[in-house]
Amino acid sequence: MSIKRIEPGKRMSGAVVHGNTVYLAGQVGEGTSVTEQSKSALAEVDRLLALAGSDKSKILQTIIYLSDMSTFGEMNAVWEGWIDPANPPARATSEAALATPDYKVEFIVTAAI
């Protein structure tokens, strides 16, 4: 089976396609609030999925990290407006320290092609 790396960099690729599955690197967004960062990160998820030949209707699993679980509802409001309601993926959400204190949310997505 072939492996295709999308937007490879020194440290990681934006996404990796193996067979009929695409694995996205953790996506963080711009802005100061969880709402802004969620919208920005999910727009990047859309972009990377499109480059891989997929879309949000084919997401298999999403792992979400929040820097503070008190913002769970704020992130969910964005998520519920973005996700394909006919095809919700398996999902887990946890609180974690992210790469920098400025990051409030990170999305890790696996999807079918």
Side-chain angles (χ1 to χ4, degrees):
M1 237 180 252
S2 67
I3 297 173
K4 176 183 173 187
R5 299 182 193 284
I6 297 171
E7 298 182 353
K10 181 179 177 180
R11 205 172 283 154
M12 65 185 164
S13 295
V16 176
V17 177
H18 180 250
N20 292 323
T21 306
V22 58
Y23 304 87
L24 272 58
Q27 298 302 308
V28 295
E30 297 179 356
T32 57
S33 70
V34 169
T35 296
E36 292 169 336
Q37 289 188 16
S38 294
K39 287 178 180 179
S40 175
L42 292 172
E44 187 65 6
V45 167
D46 280 331
R47 187 184 76 78
L48 287 168
L49 288 175
L51 287 174
S54 188
D55 62 63
K56 63 186 162 191
S57 73
K58 297 176 184 166
I59 296 175
L60 303 170
Q61 179 183 45
T62 301
I63 299 169
I64 303 168
Y65 293 114
L66 291 167
S67 63
D68 183 344
M69 278 305 272
S70 71
T71 61
F72 184 72
E74 186 178 348
M75 178 278 300
N76 264 337
V78 175
W79 173 265
E80 290 167 3
W82 174 80
I83 197 66
D84 178 352
N87 297 291
R91 190 188 103 168
T93 305
S94 296
E95 182 175 293
L98 300 180
T100 75
D102 293 334
Y103 294 147
K104 299 181 183 313
V105 63
E106 181 174 7
F107 298 86
I108 301 172
V109 172
T110 305
I113 302 272

